[in-house]
Amino acid sequence: MKVPEEIVELIKREEYFTIVSHLNPEGDALGASIALALALKLRHKDVQVFNSDGVPYMYNFLPSSELVESGIDRERLKYSTLFVVDCNDLERVGLKDPECKSVVVIDHHRTITDLGHIRWIEPESPAAGLMIYNLIKELEVNINREIAVNLYTAITVDTGTFRYENTTPEVLRVAAELVDAGVNPGEVSRRLYESWSVNKFRLFVSMLKTVEIVHTGNINSAIATINLDMFKETGADASDTENFINFPRMIDSVDISAIFREFEAGCWKASLRSKGNCDVSLIALHFGGGGHKNAAGYKVRGDIGDVRRGLVEAIQDSLSSR
Amino acid sequence: MKVPEEIVELIKREEYFTIVSHLNPEGDALGASIALALALKLRHKDVQVFNSDGVPYMYNFLPSSELVESGIDRERLKYSTLFVVDCNDLERVGLKDPECKSVVVIDHHRTITDLGHIRWIEPESPAAGLMIYNLIKELEVNINREIAVNLYTAITVDTGTFRYENTTPEVLRVAAELVDAGVNPGEVSRRLYESWSVNKFRLFVSMLKTVEIVHTGNINSAIATINLDMFKETGADASDTENFINFPRMIDSVDISAIFREFEAGCWKASLRSKGNCDVSLIALHFGGGGHKNAAGYKVRGDIGDVRRGLVEAIQDSLSSR
């Protein structure tokens, strides 16, 4: 990975920086932004970090997470360099018509806009955090524990803690260096994966009890329900259901994982996930929803029995005959 | 980690080797054993790998897993060097009174027996696989893809794919080298975490239904049961229970996760996991078992109600007063 010389030069030259990342930020957006801010501060720069949604509760553990502000100083922005990190679209940032000195995009998503006077986009990079790591190296800033924890979190979140296909030898070597710099990998993982509330766990068990595996043609679907009663009984809420959809996927033979979540009486939000070539966006479209090939969703109203049967029929119609 | 010179010398000198590991083998026992066998074969040695329980279905993907036999050639053993890997107790191997030329123990568990003419025990090593990696380096055998996948699996299983406290910079650097040697980390993780059978999933749900959260002093424990009826109803077997212990740990407030698995009527294998400074090996010792600070186990006989109460009392006695 080659860090553009012009970014390094610009940082050396300028004094005021504003770092922004996307709405609903996760570990990569936050960790990469904060690590960059800390490095710039060590170079005596004036830095503001902005995220429209602020820092979600589960990421409060990131050192210097209090740097992230959910309001932006537009006067200050006028004479600042704007770093757009982990996205390349101001709509995803939630920032309209910013007036600033110049815009630098640092992202690892496939480019969709032409935002940025300087655009550094590495679709092959597993995480924006890995790009920031390389940038900090070029800036000759010492990676202290605070920076290391932010970079480690960024990298682990976007590689599923080294479980995804994008886990390269470079990622593992950088991780080793960050642990040398003071990261406690067990502690970071605890924060990321072992911070469920008891209520969330109870809802999880209730949801798993409803999993039914349905065979339609050559497709196996695991279908689950979370109704309003289950929320009431467990004390959990909708935000607790994030990630639940990944669990039925653990079953080898399951091609599609679906959860129906009741958001008001008789109204259901269907989340669909699939493996490999199974395109669930076709099914979501059928019900007026949308999404991508392996992750899609739709809303539907009715008796849960009918709603589940409707999904199975749609799977049969659109996929089983492939 | 210093590899004992006498083990290297012995390997150079001897011709016949038998490698054994513990009953209910997991990725570390199997990966370490197979990697050692492959390295010895590359040094033109005659090797047998024995595991009384054979290779569980989920580990069939390990290259050369077919080397592992569930029967041992006792005649051949008489003139062989016996390597006892990932345990240091022949009872755990399920091998009675073996007649052999000499016994070498390579283990990372706290020692409990005096087995072995040569004893190499590294309680600080995250995995037996990491010890075997260092041994293979000393043997100057090239780590090919087959050896690398076995070592990578061994190391990842015993570090929770780099999520546990025992994830050291060395572990991550060795993992990087193994990926360089041809391991596909995404593929290994899919085999380990997304290859559940439907029966295993059903047993998982049954087990989760039994989870009870018990508060003793300042310690919260999540205690679950898997009895013989549950195996019968779901069609799953003991090897399917690997990893189950990690799920109740996801709850933020849980310090200790415990599962009692009935292996014959009224006989239970207790598996304990803890977070941070909570030392479950003390509890296991109390019941005549053993293990590490954060992962230990013991066997116990009795009514499940009594057995669960016994654990809670032991937690109270040994830990709550810290």
Side-chain angles (χ1 to χ4, degrees):
Chain A
M1 188 183 304
K2 179 89 190 70
V3 179
E5 189 57 36
E6 50 192 325
I7 296 182
V8 178
E9 290 308 318
L10 179 139
I11 289 172
K12 285 182 183 163
R13 195 172 63 232
E14 297 294 330
E15 194 180 340
Y16 293 90
F17 296 89
T18 298
I19 302 169
V20 301
S21 54
H22 57 77
L23 296 164
N24 296 319
E26 27 63 83
D28 193 25
L30 292 168
S33 298
I34 299 168
L36 177 57
L38 291 172
L40 293 176
K41 278 173 176 287
L42 284 173
R43 291 206 55 139
H44 310 293
K45 306 295 179 176
D46 190 301
V47 189
Q48 195 190 12
V49 188
F50 166 77
N51 190 289
S52 184
D53 286 337
V55 178
Y57 170 76
M58 71 171 287
Y59 288 113
N60 275 346
F61 77 94
L62 290 174
S64 298
S65 62
E66 70 281 359
L67 286 180
V68 181
E69 298 172 62
S70 54
I72 200 161
D73 182 343
R74 289 213 175 234
E75 268 315 302
R76 184 186 166 285
L77 188 59
K78 283 182 187 161
Y79 49 88
S80 298
T81 300
L82 182 67
F83 274 108
V84 179
V85 173
D86 198 35
C87 64
N88 60 75
D89 180 350
L90 287 176
E91 211 171 294
R92 288 219 64 211
V93 173
L95 188 61
K96 264 191 189 156
D97 310 320
E99 264 186 79
C100 61
K101 202 166 168 190
S102 72
V103 176
V104 181
V105 167
I106 302 182
D107 189 20
H108 68 127
H109 295 90
R110 256 161 243 263
T111 176
I112 35 170
T113 74
D114 57 1
L115 180 72
H117 302 96
I118 305 178
R119 295 167 57 72
W120 180 28
I121 294 174
E122 302 263 5
E124 296 302 313
S125 178
L130 191 66
M131 300 172 71
I132 299 296
Y133 164 87
N134 282 290
L135 174 57
I136 292 176
K137 285 286 189 185
E138 289 295 317
L139 293 174
E140 289 169 7
V141 168
N142 173 48
I143 294 183
N144 58 27
R145 198 194 69 85
E146 286 66 35
I147 293 176
V149 172
N150 278 288
L151 292 176
Y152 188 88
T153 302
I155 291 169
T156 55
V157 163
D158 266 21
T159 61
T161 324
F162 318 113
R163 289 186 184 185
Y164 301 160
E165 296 288 335
N166 60 4
T167 303
T168 58
E170 186 195 2
V171 157
L172 290 161
R173 284 197 181 93
V174 169
E177 190 185 323
L178 298 173
V179 176
D180 276 330
V183 173
N184 178 334
E187 172 69 14
V188 171
S189 294
R190 249 194 325 279
R191 297 294 193 151
L192 295 177
Y193 309 113
E194 297 182 356
S195 296
W196 290 31
S197 67
V198 173
N199 291 351
K200 176 172 177 160
F201 184 76
R202 288 202 179 113
L203 184 67
F204 176 61
V205 177
S206 299
M207 183 273 290
L208 287 180
K209 285 188 209 169
T210 72
V211 171
E212 192 191 353
I213 294 168
V214 183
H215 313 276
T216 43
N218 53 349
I219 301 283
N220 294 322
S221 308
I223 306 178
T225 306
I226 306 175
N227 63 30
L228 291 178
D229 284 344
M230 289 158 70
F231 283 116
K232 211 164 148 189
E233 281 158 19
T234 59
D237 63 34
S239 74
D240 287 316
T241 64
E242 226 185 285
N243 275 339
F244 281 10
I245 191 100
N246 291 321
F247 286 90
R249 274 174 52 117
M250 298 187 305
I251 304 171
D252 202 11
S253 58
V254 163
D255 305 292
I256 296 176
S257 166
I259 296 180
F260 288 102
R261 173 170 63 76
E262 194 173 22
F263 60 93
E264 50 188 68
C267 296
W268 305 87
K269 166 122 184 41
S271 298
L272 308 175
R273 295 290 182 279
S274 66
K275 293 179 186 166
N277 272 326
C278 204
D279 188 348
V280 285
S281 72
L282 298 176
I283 297 163
L285 271 174
H286 173 84
F287 290 102
H292 308 284
K293 185 171 133 190
N294 295 125
Y298 62 92
K299 285 181 180 169
V300 63
R301 179 187 290 268
D303 168 78
I304 184 61
D306 296 336
V307 159
R308 287 175 72 129
R309 269 187 296 280
L311 170 63
V312 173
E313 283 165 20
I315 292 170
Q316 186 123 38
D317 292 347
S318 46
L319 295 177
S320 298
S321 54
R322 286 176 314 161
Chain B
M1 188 184 305
K2 178 88 191 73
V3 179
E5 189 56 37
E6 50 193 326
I7 296 183
V8 178
E9 290 308 317
L10 178 138
I11 289 173
K12 286 182 181 163
R13 194 172 63 233
E14 297 295 329
E15 194 181 340
Y16 294 91
F17 296 89
T18 299
I19 302 168
V20 301
S21 54
H22 56 77
L23 296 163
N24 296 320
E26 28 62 83
D28 192 27
L30 292 168
S33 299
I34 298 168
L36 176 57
L38 292 172
L40 293 176
K41 279 173 176 287
L42 284 174
R43 291 206 53 138
H44 311 292
K45 305 295 179 177
D46 190 300
V47 189
Q48 197 191 9
V49 188
F50 166 77
N51 190 290
S52 185
D53 286 336
V55 177
Y57 168 76
M58 71 170 286
Y59 288 113
N60 276 346
F61 77 93
L62 290 174
S64 297
S65 62
E66 69 282 358
L67 286 180
V68 181
E69 299 172 61
S70 54
I72 199 161
D73 182 343
R74 289 215 175 234
E75 269 316 303
R76 184 185 165 286
L77 188 58
K78 283 180 187 162
Y79 49 89
S80 298
T81 300
L82 182 68
F83 274 107
V84 180
V85 172
D86 197 35
C87 66
N88 61 77
D89 180 350
L90 287 176
E91 211 171 292
R92 288 220 62 209
V93 173
L95 188 61
K96 264 191 188 157
D97 311 319
E99 265 186 79
C100 62
K101 205 167 167 187
S102 72
V103 176
V104 180
V105 167
I106 301 182
D107 189 20
H108 69 128
H109 296 88
R110 258 165 241 253
T111 177
I112 36 170
T113 74
D114 57 1
L115 179 73
H117 302 95
I118 305 178
R119 294 166 58 72
W120 180 28
I121 294 173
E122 302 263 6
E124 296 303 312
S125 178
L130 190 66
M131 300 172 72
I132 298 297
Y133 164 87
N134 283 288
L135 174 57
I136 292 176
K137 285 286 189 184
E138 288 295 317
L139 292 174
E140 290 169 7
V141 169
N142 172 47
I143 293 183
N144 58 27
R145 199 194 69 86
E146 286 66 35
I147 293 176
V149 172
N150 277 288
L151 292 177
Y152 188 88
T153 303
I155 290 169
T156 55
V157 163
D158 265 21
T159 61
T161 324
F162 317 113
R163 290 185 183 185
Y164 299 161
E165 297 287 334
N166 60 5
T167 303
T168 58
E170 186 195 1
V171 158
L172 290 162
R173 284 197 181 93
V174 169
E177 189 186 323
L178 297 173
V179 176
D180 277 329
V183 173
N184 178 335
E187 172 69 14
V188 171
S189 294
R190 247 193 326 280
R191 297 294 193 151
L192 294 177
Y193 309 113
E194 292 185 358
S195 296
W196 290 31
S197 67
V198 173
N199 291 351
K200 176 172 176 160
F201 186 75
R202 288 200 179 115
L203 185 67
F204 176 61
V205 177
S206 300
M207 183 274 291
L208 286 180
K209 286 187 208 168
T210 72
V211 171
E212 192 191 354
I213 295 169
V214 183
H215 313 275
T216 44
N218 52 349
I219 301 283
N220 294 323
S221 308
I223 306 179
T225 306
I226 305 174
N227 63 30
L228 291 178
D229 285 345
M230 289 158 70
F231 284 116
K232 213 164 146 189
E233 282 159 18
T234 58
D237 64 33
S239 73
D240 288 316
T241 64
E242 204 187 310
N243 276 338
F244 282 10
I245 190 96
N246 292 322
F247 288 91
R249 274 173 53 120
M250 297 187 306
I251 304 171
D252 200 12
S253 57
V254 163
D255 304 292
I256 296 176
S257 166
I259 296 179
F260 288 101
R261 172 171 64 76
E262 195 173 22
F263 59 94
E264 51 187 68
C267 296
W268 305 88
K269 166 118 182 46
S271 298
L272 308 175
R273 295 291 182 279
S274 66
K275 294 179 188 168
N277 272 326
C278 203
D279 188 348
V280 284
S281 73
L282 298 175
I283 297 163
L285 271 174
H286 172 85
F287 290 103
H292 311 280
K293 184 171 130 189
N294 296 123
Y298 62 92
K299 286 180 180 171
V300 62
R301 179 188 290 269
D303 168 78
I304 185 62
D306 297 336
V307 158
R308 286 174 74 129
R309 271 186 295 279
L311 170 62
V312 173
E313 282 164 22
I315 292 170
Q316 187 123 39
D317 291 348
S318 46
L319 296 177
S320 300
S321 54
R322 286 174 315 162

